[in-house]
Amino acid sequence: MSGGRIRRLVVGDAQADRVVPPSGFTAQLTLFVAAAMAFLAVFALALSLASGRLADRWADELARAATLRINAPADQRAAQTQAALTVLQQTPGVASARALTADEQAALLAPWFGAELPLDSLPVPQLIEVLETESGYDETGLRLRLQAEVPGAVLDDHSRWRKPLVDAARSLRRLGLFSILLIGGAMAGMITLAANAALAANAQVIEVLRLVGAQDSYIAHAFVRRFTLRALVGCGVGVVFGMIGVWLMPAASQEGGFLTGLGFVGWGWLMPLAIPVLGALVAFVATSRAAKKRLGALT
Amino acid sequence: MIELDNVGYNYGGGELLTNVSAQLSPGSFHFLTGPSGAGKTTLLKLCYGALSPTSGRVRAFNMDVKGLDRNQMALLRRRIGVVHQDCRFLDHLPVKENIALPLTVAGKDLSQEQDNLQELLNWVGLSERAHANPPELSGGERQRAALARAVILSPEVIIADEPTGNVDWEMSQRLLQLLVELNRMGKTILVATHDLALIRAAKNQVQTRVLRISEKRLQLAGADL
């Protein structure tokens, strides 16, 4: 699209705008659809961004961590813990290894058993937090050595539950992005229908315009500009309400889990502002195609 | 200027016109007459490219009308002013804007055309009705407004289809006077009508040729008019 055409689209021509009569229901339909779709797009975008943040966080925080569980009788637990720590300290690729304190272990169980848990009276295994270096350790070698030297040790590198979680978060992000595409497609479809209805309702106007020497590009422009501006305004309204809705959601918290983190962070608040522009672009393309097809069919 | 060379036209299964040949030379004034349904409107539409001939060739300003694309056709329409019997206005626009419509679609700056527009409104006697909407106009006013719209781009050819069909004798004389004035300015005029009195009145004022469609063919009318 040339610069002149963009300028004409934005600035417009008051006289040219008047040649097509104002169309009632298609105008309202376009505004409503654009606003509703933009509102939904804001939430889909928020969901997608939040899922992305979650996936990244889980992947980063858990990827280099593992837990060693010492399942040993109470009288051997301290010795096996010490043996395991020794093995870990000698293993290349292990950055640090630390046995959790009794309080830390009690805190982990608190959500299920309450804060006043008598840990000493329960056969709770000792947990060792293992952090690996950038290069990582030889997991098979470590398991074999632990099997030989610390019989009660079980190495859990979190991959069993981390991977599905990260995959789920990434799927959620993809779903959010796909939803935005679907919303855009649905909006294009609705605007095409509205534009076709407006073109059909104005067949006589088009005939008169052709009769007095109007080129098809002029006629198409009158419709395209109208629908593009309606979509821009509708999307703008929808985005404002959508952003207010996201802003009113509870802030991210440890207690609330994932659901409370469904919002925008930092520069992310600027991203919804692209939705009206994209909505207008969708309307421009949809109406241009509809007008070209319709005008080509009208003799 | 406009030339029809062995033009034929079929409507669906039936043949409406056959082997029609005619030439509208610059500055000429032609009447086209014939019974209702003979094909007068069809012949006019062939002249300004609203219809394509099924045989033969129509040339306008040395261009084969059939070979023109939509953009070229739009430019051709700006050189041929057309007055329809039913006028065909945009009812949501006032008369003044309807008359200025050819300027608008041609991308002219209307603020620089206000004097010409006002002069044209005065010429057709509609300056008092400039802000009325088309449905509020009488038959004669509508025809004069349509004529004003047809001439606002100063086309070389003006084609009118039964311009006096819905007006009284006095108004038809007024419309004829406007067409005669345009012809005296050098415009080529083609008017379809079955109003023989109008043709006789015109013959008293300006040199005209009368073409008659009879039995699908075009003939030069005789002295019986």
Side-chain angles (χ1 to χ4, degrees), chain B residues 99-117:
Chain B
I99 291 174
L101 202 54
L103 295 171
T104 307
V105 303
K108 307 273 186 191
D109 183 357
L110 285 194
S111 61
Q112 295 182 359
E113 301 282 347
Q114 288 303 311
D115 290 345
N116 291 339
L117 198 51

Side-chain angles (χ1 to χ4, degrees), chain A residues 18 207 210 213 216 296, chain B residues 70 77-78 84 88 92 97:
Chain A
R18 283 171 53 79
E207 191 185 341
R210 278 182 169 166
D216 280 2
Chain B
R70 284 188 188 278
R77 297 267 171 86
R78 294 178 193 176
H84 284 269
R88 299 194 189 174
H92 64 285
E97 289 185 42

Side-chain angles (χ1 to χ4, degrees), chain A residues 46 83 149 173 272 286 291:
Chain A
E149 298 182 25
R173 175 167 55 183

Side-chain angles (χ1 to χ4, degrees), chain A residues 261-284:
Chain A
L262 274 179
F264 298 108
V265 174
W267 291 101
W269 281 101
L270 295 178
M271 290 186 74
L273 301 181
I275 291 174
V277 179
L278 291 174
L281 192 65
V282 165
F284 175 82

Side-chain angles (χ1 to χ4, degrees), chain A residues 218-236:
Chain A
Y218 176 91
I219 300 169
H221 183 264
F223 286 92
V224 169
R225 177 175 148 74
R226 187 166 289 189
F227 278 88
T228 303
L229 291 181
R230 280 176 194 160
L232 185 68
V233 171
C235 283

Side-chain angles (χ1 to χ4, degrees), chain A residues 26-280:
Chain A
T26 57
Q28 290 156 14
L29 178 70
T30 310
L31 277 170
F32 175 74
V33 165
M37 294 299 177
F39 185 83
L40 294 175
V42 170
F43 281 95
L45 184 64
L47 174 74
S48 181
L49 290 176
S51 308
R53 284 197 304 272
L54 201 64
D56 292 344
R57 202 178 76 211
W58 283 343
D60 286 348
E61 287 181 0
L62 301 174
R64 302 193 189 289
T67 305
L68 191 65
R69 195 168 69 241
I70 310 294
N71 295 321
D75 58 332
Q76 296 175 25
R77 197 178 299 156
Q80 288 207 20
T81 300
Q82 190 52 51
L85 285 170
T86 306
V87 169
L88 289 168
Q89 281 160 7
Q90 292 168 352
T91 303
V94 172
S96 68
R98 181 180 70 87
L100 296 194
T101 64
D103 288 345
E104 284 172 327
Q105 296 210 156
L108 288 173
L109 293 170
W112 289 273
F113 297 104
E116 305 300 323
L117 182 68
L119 211 58
D120 295 342
S121 62
L122 292 171
V124 177
Q126 174 64 50
L127 299 178
I128 297 174
E129 183 189 64
V130 182
L131 295 176
E132 60 183 275
T133 60
E134 289 276 329
S135 55
Y137 53 82
D138 173 12
E139 189 188 322
T140 311
L142 180 59
R143 282 185 196 280
L144 288 171
R145 194 174 167 199
L146 285 170
Q147 205 172 3
E149 298 182 25
V150 191
V154 177
L155 180 66
D156 180 1
D157 65 355
H158 302 160
S159 62
R160 185 165 44 85
W161 59 272
R162 176 172 56 85
K163 190 171 181 303
L165 278 177
V166 172
D167 285 350
R170 284 183 178 152
S171 295
L172 212 52
R173 175 167 55 183
R174 280 196 296 273
L175 203 63
L177 292 174
F178 184 63
S179 300
I180 292 172
L181 287 180
L182 278 183
I183 288 166
M187 189 170 126
M190 293 295 285
I191 289 177
T192 300
L193 283 176
N196 271 324
L199 285 158
N202 288 296
Q204 284 189 323
V205 171
I206 292 169
E207 191 185 341
V208 171
L209 291 174
R210 278 182 169 166
L211 188 73
V212 298
Q215 293 180 323
D216 280 2
S217 57
Y218 176 91
I219 300 169
H221 183 264
F223 286 92
V224 169
R225 177 175 148 74
R226 187 166 289 189
F227 278 88
T228 303
L229 291 181
R230 280 176 194 160
L232 185 68
V233 171
C235 283
V237 172
V239 163
V240 168
F241 279 102
M243 288 177 77
I244 290 172
V246 170
W247 182 66
L248 289 176
M249 288 190 76
S253 70
Q254 197 68 37
E255 295 76 16
F258 169 67
L259 281 175
T260 56
L262 274 179
F264 298 108
V265 174
W267 291 101
W269 281 101
L270 295 178
M271 290 186 74
L273 301 181
I275 291 174
V277 179
L278 291 174

